[in-house]
Amino acid sequence: MFTELLEQHQGNFLVFTGKFCGYCTAAKRFLNQKELPFVELSFDDYPSELRDEVVQATLHRTVPVIFDLRGQDRIFIGGFDELTRYPING
């Protein structure tokens, strides 16, 4: 399921979120302010297996989990703090 979602949202940032997550809100606000395209997928709307797959692939256990899918490579950024340090245009 995880790989299919990465392929489906190629060309965007992909932000996995959860309910009541202040850092998720901050990440979405940051991407909006930079006018960058993103797709939000809440773990709450998917079976728990999706979260398990994401954790296994990234070793990142908290939300948000952010990927840059704009180029040829699928780049795992991390969470909100990593997003703010990520070279957006590079």
Side-chain angles (χ1 to χ4, degrees):
M1 178 185 310
F2 172 54
T3 303
E4 291 83 6
L5 289 170
L6 290 176
E7 291 172 4
Q8 181 180 354
H9 297 294
Q10 191 69 29
N12 297 293
F13 283 85
L14 181 59
V15 182
F16 288 99
T17 63
K19 290 182 182 172
F20 311 113
C21 170
Y23 285 110
C24 299
T25 302
K28 294 184 291 183
R29 185 179 307 123
F30 179 84
L31 291 168
N32 277 325
Q33 288 173 345
K34 300 288 185 181
E35 298 181 356
L36 295 166
F38 72 92
V39 174
E40 175 186 4
L41 298 177
S42 175
F43 282 129
D44 299 311
D45 297 334
Y46 289 88
S48 62
E49 291 79 20
L50 174 61
R51 180 178 224 138
D52 294 341
E53 288 180 45
V54 172
V55 168
Q56 183 177 3
T58 65
L59 303 178
H60 191 83
R61 298 187 175 278
T62 60
V63 288
V65 182
I66 306 167
F67 290 86
D68 183 352
L69 306 177
R70 296 175 298 166
Q72 293 290 336
D73 298 322
R74 298 173 180 161
I75 301 171
F76 167 62
I77 297 172
F80 172 71
D81 290 337
E82 293 81 12
L83 177 64
T84 62
R85 295 189 300 265
Y86 182 71
I88 295 293
N89 297 320

